[in-house]
Amino acid sequence: MPTSPSDPADPPRAAQPASGPSTSTSPSAEPVDLAVVGAGPAGLAAAVAGAALGLTVTVLDAGERPGGQFYRRPAPGLGAARPEALHHDWAAFATREAALRAHESAGRITCLPLHHVWTVTPSEGAWTLHAVAGHAPEERAAAVTARAVLIATGAYERQLPFPGWTLPGVVGAGGAQAMLKGGLVLPGRRVVVAGSGPLLLAVAGSLAAAGATVPAVVEAAAYTAYAGRAATLLRNPGKLLEAATYGGALARHVRLLTRHAVTEAHGTGRIEAVTVARLDRDWRPLPGTARRIPCDALAVGHGLVPQLELATGLGCATRPGPDGTTALVLDAEQRTSVPGIWSAGETGGIGGAGLALTEGELAAHSVAAALRPQRPAPGGGARVARLVRRRARLRAFADAMAAAHRPGEGWTGWLRDDAVVCRCEEVPAGPIREAVGDLGARDARTVKLLTRAGMGWCQGRMCGPAVAALAGQEPAADRRPLSCPVPLRHLAELPPADR
């Protein structure tokens, strides 16, 4: 973390309040230096580092408190004595949150919680971030103008549907962890954890430590896939220790089934059991290997998907990731392909909190150098060099994990035609296969037009990867004019130039 203070001869400007377009976007309103979208690990690190480098910073976040999904905490009213016990590397967050509050008190950072940024538009050499602030029905329009923007919107869970996945008691793996961290509640007493990716071990460990019985962790990939990445693994001893800690804690109590998947959930009013089958190398269920495991909850997820709507709406270039998702193209200093827009964290590829913290700080140095080239930070060059090396090491490890846990093409073999794929519109796999096989659909967009899959409330965020797979298409980044629902009155209130 940089420690150089702002130059006393050039005191930081107070960040402008985001009370609405009429104030913060008017020509007389002076823009802040940096607007950070998202207060998770990447956004938090960027905001604190940017303020320490002399920038005025405004942080807009959809949550009530900083930390994002990773550093989610129980509400104060729950009286949690030690919320840090549910987190890995809590000190990294606590240090930055304390710095955030100090900079906020000094007027260098303005924090705007409960602000859902839905678009970013050019504004006379700067950028205007439009947001929905507060909760319905009292939500209001808000806007912030900034000279530079850092997009740190994180990611959401990737779900591969299977028969019964809509039953009560079936939750996302990350969702189960969020319930525990944020609400101190368990999804059930006997919880099967399934899917693919390193998150499964962490979730299973947290659930078991909180008192749940975890009869099995069902991992679709094989850990032998890491064998060819030995050099990368050895350069990240901290990650190996973390994995060993989780694995060692679980080994005594939990059965780990690799190259297996939950292919069906059973129950009437709620999940009562799951069917688990062994997979071949392409993730096709092997006949005769199915077994049933009783449970009252299932925490399932196949990794994360970068949340790119704001960035792609601006025209930022994307690239395919080693895990089959789409990520932003970023240069060595976290710049996107659009001048004035930076990004850090999961938007550049899923990599975890440690990598996000590194990228956020690196992006702040890049923004400061771009906005104030005449005032380099003392020791900044050496600090940036260390950040670049750390990022390269952590990114290589993240890419190794992503490739090892990438879903195989045969996973659609466990999808019966009557299994729901699009939960919002209740579209099963059968009509999607019919659209592809009989009606000539060759991509997810055409499937959507023919079946309504992806036209519901989530706009394909949950079913998108599955629909693309059934259409024989690699997932591609959507370009949406609105990144979240916006009241029509907010659109009507926009200045003509922003409509």
Side-chain angles (χ1 to χ4, degrees):
M1 297 261 321
T3 58
S4 57
S6 301
D7 187 346
D10 184 12
R13 300 181 300 275
Q16 300 299 318
S19 57
S22 61
T23 58
S24 57
T25 63
S26 63
S28 59
E30 187 178 9
V32 297
D33 291 323
L34 174 63
V36 178
V37 184
L44 181 59
V48 170
L53 291 166
L55 303 179
T56 52
V57 182
T58 294
V59 181
L60 303 94
D61 189 65
E64 292 190 63
R65 293 184 292 172
Q69 296 299 322
F70 188 82
Y71 292 114
R72 180 188 288 265
R73 290 164 290 167
L78 294 176
R82 291 193 314 115
E84 65 274 11
L86 297 172
H87 295 81
H88 174 72
D89 198 12
W90 177 261
F93 165 71
T95 300
R96 288 171 173 83
E97 185 186 33
L100 178 78
R101 299 310 180 194
H103 286 302
E104 189 177 17
S105 297
R108 290 184 287 267
I109 293 179
T110 297
C111 293
L112 300 177
L114 298 177
H115 277 62
H116 298 251
V117 179
W118 55 269
T119 194
V120 180
T121 58
S123 178
E124 298 181 1
W127 300 94
T128 298
L129 296 84
H130 296 281
V132 177
H135 292 302
E138 288 83 21
E139 77 270 11
R140 67 187 189 281
V144 170
T145 306
R147 299 170 64 195
V149 176
L150 174 76
I151 296 175
T153 44
Y156 52 89
E157 285 197 85
R158 173 166 55 185
Q159 295 294 337
L160 304 183
F162 51 88
W165 75 304
T166 59
L167 280 170
V170 179
V171 300
Q177 197 170 46
M179 291 171 65
L180 183 57
K181 288 181 177 180
L184 303 180
V185 296
L186 294 167
R189 301 305 305 177
R190 184 177 173 87
V191 189
V192 172
V193 178
S196 188
L199 179 63
L200 300 187
L201 294 179
V203 170
S206 297
L207 294 176
T213 297
V214 182
V217 175
V218 185
E219 166 62 66
Y223 289 122
T224 53
Y226 286 97
R229 307 278 185 143
T232 298
L233 300 182
L234 293 174
R235 286 197 299 270
N236 290 271
K239 292 290 186 181
L240 293 178
L241 178 61
E242 181 182 344
T245 301
Y246 284 129
L250 292 172
R252 298 185 298 273
H253 311 289
V254 178
R255 186 178 185 184
L256 175 62
L257 299 173
T258 60
R259 200 167 283 172
H260 282 72
V262 168
T263 57
E264 188 169 0
H266 310 277
T268 50
R270 181 182 173 89
I271 186 172
E272 299 169 3
V274 295
T275 291
V276 175
R278 184 166 178 80
L279 306 179
D280 66 13
R281 292 183 179 276
D282 293 322
W283 288 32
R284 293 182 180 86
L286 294 172
T289 64
R291 72 184 80 174
R292 186 175 288 213
I293 301 177
C295 63
D296 63 359
L298 169 65
V300 58
H302 290 83
L304 301 173
V305 179
Q307 189 161 338
L308 305 181
E309 292 90 349
L310 276 180
T312 54
L314 283 164
C316 297
T318 61
R319 62 177 179 83
D323 55 357
T325 63
T326 302
L328 293 180
V329 173
L330 301 174
D331 71 3
E333 297 184 5
Q334 303 299 131
R335 296 185 187 92
T336 70
S337 61
V338 176
I341 306 294
W342 282 256
S343 187
E346 311 290 40
T347 49
I350 306 303
L355 178 59
L357 291 168
T358 300
E359 290 186 342
E361 185 178 345
L362 180 59
H365 277 273
S366 179
V367 172
L371 297 186
R372 299 186 177 182
Q374 74 283 2
R375 292 178 53 197
R383 179 62 179 171
V384 168
R386 289 194 295 271
L387 291 170
V388 169
R389 289 194 297 270
R390 185 190 307 167
R391 182 189 57 184
R393 175 171 54 80
L394 293 174
R395 176 58 67 191
F397 186 87
D399 287 348
M401 286 195 303
H405 296 279
R406 177 178 179 138
E409 294 180 357
W411 72 265
T412 55
W414 66 58
L415 266 182
R416 296 196 309 261
D417 281 349
D418 63 345
V420 171
V421 174
C422 174
R423 300 177 65 156
C424 298
E425 294 293 321
E426 299 183 346
V427 181
I432 296 174
R433 288 185 171 124
E434 181 183 359
V436 174
D438 299 338
L439 303 179
R442 293 294 178 267
D443 55 52
R445 178 178 176 81
T446 306
V447 170
K448 177 191 292 188
L449 295 174
L450 292 172
T451 67
R452 294 193 60 81
M455 286 191 176
W457 179 256
C458 83
Q459 286 292 288
R461 290 174 177 83
M462 293 296 104
C463 67
V467 172
L470 289 170
Q473 178 193 32
E474 288 290 327
D478 291 331
R479 186 167 183 176
R480 307 170 187 266
L482 312 176
S483 68
C484 67
V486 183
L488 288 177
R489 69 177 184 276
H490 292 189
L491 300 179
E493 292 169 359
L494 289 176
D498 290 329
R499 291 180 186 173

